[in-house]
Amino acid sequence: LRRCVSPVSDDAVLRLLATPTAHVPSPAPSKQDAPNKGTKIECHAVLTEDEIKNISESSRSQIDVPMDVLLLLRGLRIFLRDEVDPPVYISDRRLKKATDLLRVSARAHGRAHVTIVDTLLLQHIAWYNPDEQEIVANWLQESIVPDPQHQQIEFVLSGLYAQLEKSITTKKANEEMERVTTELDKLEQVLKSKIRDMCSHLEALRCADKHLWVNPEEGTTVRQQLFPVAEAHMSNLGGILTKLYILKAAVTGARVADNVSKLQLIQGAWGQVLQDQADEQNARKIGGSFGAKESTHGDGGGIPNGLSSEKLQLSRKQARSQLTTQEFALWRTLKKTSDGGQGNAKVNTRASFRRKKRTGDLENNDEFDVDDNEW
């Protein structure tokens, strides 16, 4: 650890020079000798040398360093080597010792893993000349909240929809829906993992001013500047997860529909996704919040976990009583899109029935059920 301190002033240098270099501590008062007012009591170390050694060794084996922190350490070394003039080289040994220090910091707080706030200590490690300390501190302020790359994830989701729309009316529609569903499941796990990580970052930033080894003023500044950044990342991830659930539910409903209804259902669901995205952008322009604003804690951050085929078959009254508020909103959105396709199918079936009856082609074993839309 390195800490910049100002030189001693001319007035204080006299006291510094007059201070004895050798100091023998006085014995601690016994329990029988109650200290009088003004009596100086010697302070003794709370941790012994052996205890400190044990803490350091156990931290290396018991404290986890998340991938976000490892990437930050690597990124700091690359930044100092490639972008600072003159370059600052951090040796492998020093970087490893810095990682061990972050583990001890986590252990001191009773945690089982290092957080992004622990990495603020790197500003007291990763420099050689005092003027480099500010460069490291500024880089950490800009980099400790990782970018979840939500734009790339949204691009993948849009690509899956495009593939589904292209093949939904072909003979391989069911096979393609199975493949897309598998890919959506994988993407869902990626999103949930990123949301869990971002929840951890939010919690660490919320308590930044209470960190044992970070100046309270610095912790407050970090929280005020970076907490909104992490919240925005969480909102983006939650919004994409909601869009994924809408598309998954549409694929589930499309399994039992004809080709025309499948296409209408998928297009209708994606149209709702695009409309929600436009509403979210408009809300942000006026300073509001929209979409996944509740996604700040837990697995999935308060986003509904999609709708099963059984839930999609519920009546409106059953859905209102059995589903959560978010699930019912999703159910209603999907019903709007699916009812359009089924309504057209009913109209076409009735027209066919009337045409057969008018031309005399209706056979004795032909039956028409309006409710089930079946011959």
Side-chain angles (χ1 to χ4, degrees), residues 154-181:
E154 195 153 19
F155 180 78
V156 172
L157 185 61
S158 299
L160 290 174
Y161 165 74
Q163 296 171 21
L164 192 62
E165 184 184 36
K166 183 178 179 180
S167 61
I168 198 69
T169 56
T170 66
K171 294 180 179 180
K172 295 184 178 181
N174 291 331
E175 180 181 339
E176 184 65 15
M177 282 193 294
E178 289 293 338
R179 189 191 67 79
V180 170
T181 300

Side-chain angles (χ1 to χ4, degrees), residues 42-90:
E42 287 293 327
C43 296
H44 297 274
V46 177
L47 297 175
T48 65
E49 187 174 349
D50 288 339
E51 287 173 329
I52 293 175
K53 183 178 179 181
N54 291 335
I55 289 174
S56 179
E57 292 177 351
S58 61
S59 297
R60 294 190 188 100
S61 60
Q62 298 176 10
I63 304 300
D64 179 54
V65 183
M67 182 55 67
D68 285 340
V69 174
L70 295 176
L71 292 174
L72 184 76
L73 287 163
R74 186 184 69 176
L76 177 59
R77 184 170 76 162
I78 294 173
F79 166 76
L80 292 174
R81 183 191 64 208
D82 298 346
E83 300 185 36
V84 174
D85 187 24
V88 179
Y89 295 98
I90 305 297

Side-chain angles (χ1 to χ4, degrees), residues 31-44:
K31 294 183 180 179
Q32 290 81 8
D33 300 329
N36 297 323
K37 186 176 181 180
T39 301
K40 183 178 180 181
I41 302 177
E42 287 293 327
C43 296
H44 297 274

